[in-house]
Amino acid sequence: MGLTEDRERFREVGETRREDLAEFISHGDLGGSGADRIRIPIKVVDLPAFEYDQRSAGGVGQGGDGQPQPGQPVDPEPGDGDEDGDPGEEGGDHEYYEMDPEEFARELDEALGLDLEPKGKRVVEEVEGDFTDTARTGPRGALDVNEFFKRGLKRHLATDFDESYVREGLFVDGADADDVFAWARGEGVPVSRAWVADAAATLESERGEPVAALDRWESFDALGEEVDRESAAHRIRREGLDSVPFRREDERFRHPEVIEERERNVVVVNVRDASGSMRETKRELVERVFTPMDWYLTGKYDAAEFRYVVHDAEAWEVDREEFFGIQSGGGTRISSAYELVEEILEEYPYSEWNRYVFAAGDSENAASDTTERVIPLMESIDANLHGYVETQPGDGAANARHADEVESAFGDADDVAVARVGEPDDVTEAIYEILSTESEATGSAGGESARGRTDGGERR
């Protein structure tokens, strides 16, 4: 077997495992796994291996006397396991592969093409990094000398000017100190009125006549055509710099950068309709969607908490063991569940927690409850993602409108997802529909919800 064929076999191993993962989610026994270890049945795949010929004859080839001939293929010994028959005629053996939630999340990302990158919320630690920050105060030993010098030099260059050029303006016929000051500032020269006045007084003392009588230049335009102004930078390169005037406000002191360590934590509230219409088949579909999403989010975040709410016409909190099996004989009022969710999430401030609310049922609800109560509650509950999974095998009931009404109300909002599951084969597509909505939201500008923000809260 050549190197290319070996690589192809190894690639097929990864593809087979991802196929096993999808099959497990849709049809496998989810009860064999726990919160921290996921146990997935996989087909046994024989990896390529090399073996030496164990025959007594010398060499590993098949030519005469054990000597291989050029171009002769190396065939296995009869009875080494290769038998007549087409590939795939017999069912493969199965073993179990255990993975933790982190590995499960990576495999599901690969299998479904997801790209969820959670961000930290709550600051758990502040550590000091390199001395890259500066402040106006600090110990003398932390003075940033380079920054101190650069600030002083920058100000010096900004205020320095060609004194001889400005002084030449005093020789324009009829120009006094005010005229020269106005001309210099118009030329962008950072000269002060006091400096021009002092220079004019010096000339009048030396010449014994007013500067307005000096007439070397008939106008400022004539002066500009004949005399070039020299920049401060050019003059410093030519003459050097004897000193730089510093001020106290130029001082900057080095401080270590403060780095916030944030915990990527999440709370997930799972909601399920437990009314009389939620028969065993529908409850199993809920479990097949919610359980892998719980594993996935556990693997994606540093800390994950899960709360479970069931409802008929009223809502109550249960533990995970009860969540997927409990059934009541009452009617349905979905808003009762969201009212309880709102209370639960008060324990998890949105500024500190990533929050997910996943609800599932057969879309049957009390008349007008969805539009009048559920949708306003979903709008008011801050969450990274609201998801609703309709589990309705077959054509469904005539009054199963909840999923349609939620979808119509929120449209393409990037923090609300609706998925429909009619049979186990729909499960992985439903998981993708929900989690890919969250993945797309993290890639949008600022992660903002399509339905907007009203409280200034952080959107992951």
Side-chain angles (χ1 to χ4, degrees), residues 385-404:
L385 183 63
H386 285 276
Y388 183 77
V389 180
E390 178 187 278
T391 56
Q392 189 64 265
D395 296 333
N399 61 339
R401 301 185 305 271
H402 179 73
D404 292 337

Side-chain angles (χ1 to χ4, degrees), residues 271 273 278 281-283 285-286 289-290 293 334 358-365 387-407 417-424 426-427 430-431 433-434:
V271 177
D273 182 357
M278 286 294 291
T281 300
K282 297 178 182 179
R283 298 198 304 272
L285 292 176
V286 175
V289 176
F290 278 13
M293 291 200 299
I334 299 176
F358 296 143
D362 56 13
S363 274
E364 297 181 23
N365 194 17
Y388 183 77
V389 180
E390 178 187 278
T391 56
Q392 189 64 265
D395 296 333
N399 61 339
R401 301 185 305 271
H402 179 73
D404 292 337
E405 291 174 342
V406 169
E407 202 167 40
V418 175
R420 294 171 174 81
V421 181
E423 58 182 356
D426 298 334
V427 169
I431 293 173
E433 179 65 32
I434 293 172

